Amino acid sequence: MTTLEVPKQTSEGQSVPVLAALWQSRMETLFGVKKPLTPKEFGQLKLLRKRLGDVTSKAIDLALNNWGSFATKAAVETGTGLWPVHPHIGFLLTHYAVALELYTIATTPAVIPNSTPINNAEPIATLWDEKTTAKEKPFKPTPAQFAKIMAAMEPDGDLDQVWGEIELENKNEPVQEKGCTG
């Protein structure tokens, strides 16, 4: 992973209570989880803000809205292959560099050589299929399927082929979430 520059910190909308309210709101909306944050979680948000600067709220929003993709990337980059089913502030704090990388990718316009934007529109970079929602039933792999997924993540593996096989095993129902749910 390349080194990314963390934006300078200002006080615009980045207070810990504001970040906590954002976290709680997204957790309730996306995952149906409504609970107060612990003092430890407030401390983790403070550390996250210190590390991510002005993009903290945007990185939180991006990670929560795309938890499966974010958590999978973080788990693969660390080599553990394990991630929490539901978002966890501590996991996001531990893997803040992945969140910053994904934020940078998402906010960097795609440049196509020798292309002319239509109607002066700027290119938009997207990371995930926006049609997938958190209310859809998450994919829960069997131990055998999980082993196939992990093997496909090796340099010589073919993850697309494995996902296709798993979809066929699941009676042609598309896999909703490419992540481990339990």
Side-chain angles (χ1 to χ4, degrees):
M1 183 170 64
T2 61
T3 304
L4 300 170
E5 184 178 322
V6 176
K8 290 185 179 182
Q9 178 71 31
T10 65
S11 60
E12 295 178 24
Q14 297 291 307
S15 71
V16 173
V18 167
L19 296 174
L22 171 67
W23 181 273
Q24 290 174 304
S25 170
R26 293 294 186 266
M27 287 297 292
E28 184 175 1
T29 301
L30 298 171
F31 302 95
V33 175
K34 184 176 182 177
K35 70 174 193 78
L37 297 182
T38 65
K40 180 178 179 178
E41 289 169 324
F42 273 99
Q44 290 171 330
L45 283 174
K46 185 175 181 180
L47 289 172
L48 187 64
R49 180 187 66 180
K50 184 176 180 180
R51 289 186 173 99
L52 292 177
D54 284 344
V55 302
T56 306
S57 61
K58 293 173 184 156
I60 287 172
D61 204 35
L62 180 74
L64 290 178
N65 283 319
N66 304 285
W67 184 256
S69 299
F70 161 74
T72 302
K73 182 170 177 52
V76 168
E77 285 191 8
T78 59
T80 65
L82 302 173
W83 59 93
V85 176
H86 294 291
H88 186 277
I89 297 171
F91 186 85
L92 180 57
L93 174 61
T94 300
H95 303 286
Y96 76 93
V98 173
L100 181 60
E101 179 185 7
L102 295 176
Y103 169 79
T104 302
I105 292 167
T107 58
T108 302
V111 177
I112 301 171
N114 303 320
S115 66
T116 304
I118 299 172
N119 298 329
N120 295 323
E122 293 189 23
I124 299 174
T126 57
L127 291 175
W128 298 278
D129 179 7
E130 295 175 3
K131 295 177 185 173
T132 302
T133 66
K135 293 182 180 179
E136 294 173 339
K137 182 180 176 186
F139 169 62
K140 184 173 182 178
T142 65
Q145 290 171 333
F146 186 73
K148 285 182 185 179
I149 293 166
M150 294 309 295
M153 289 185 184
E154 294 297 320
D156 61 338
D158 186 352
L159 191 56
D160 289 332
Q161 179 181 346
V162 169
W163 281 116
E165 292 170 3
I166 290 173
E167 284 181 344
L168 287 175
E169 290 172 12
N170 291 335
K171 300 176 186 156
N172 296 319
E173 294 178 19
V175 174
Q176 299 296 328
E177 179 90 14
K178 294 181 182 178
C180 178
T181 61

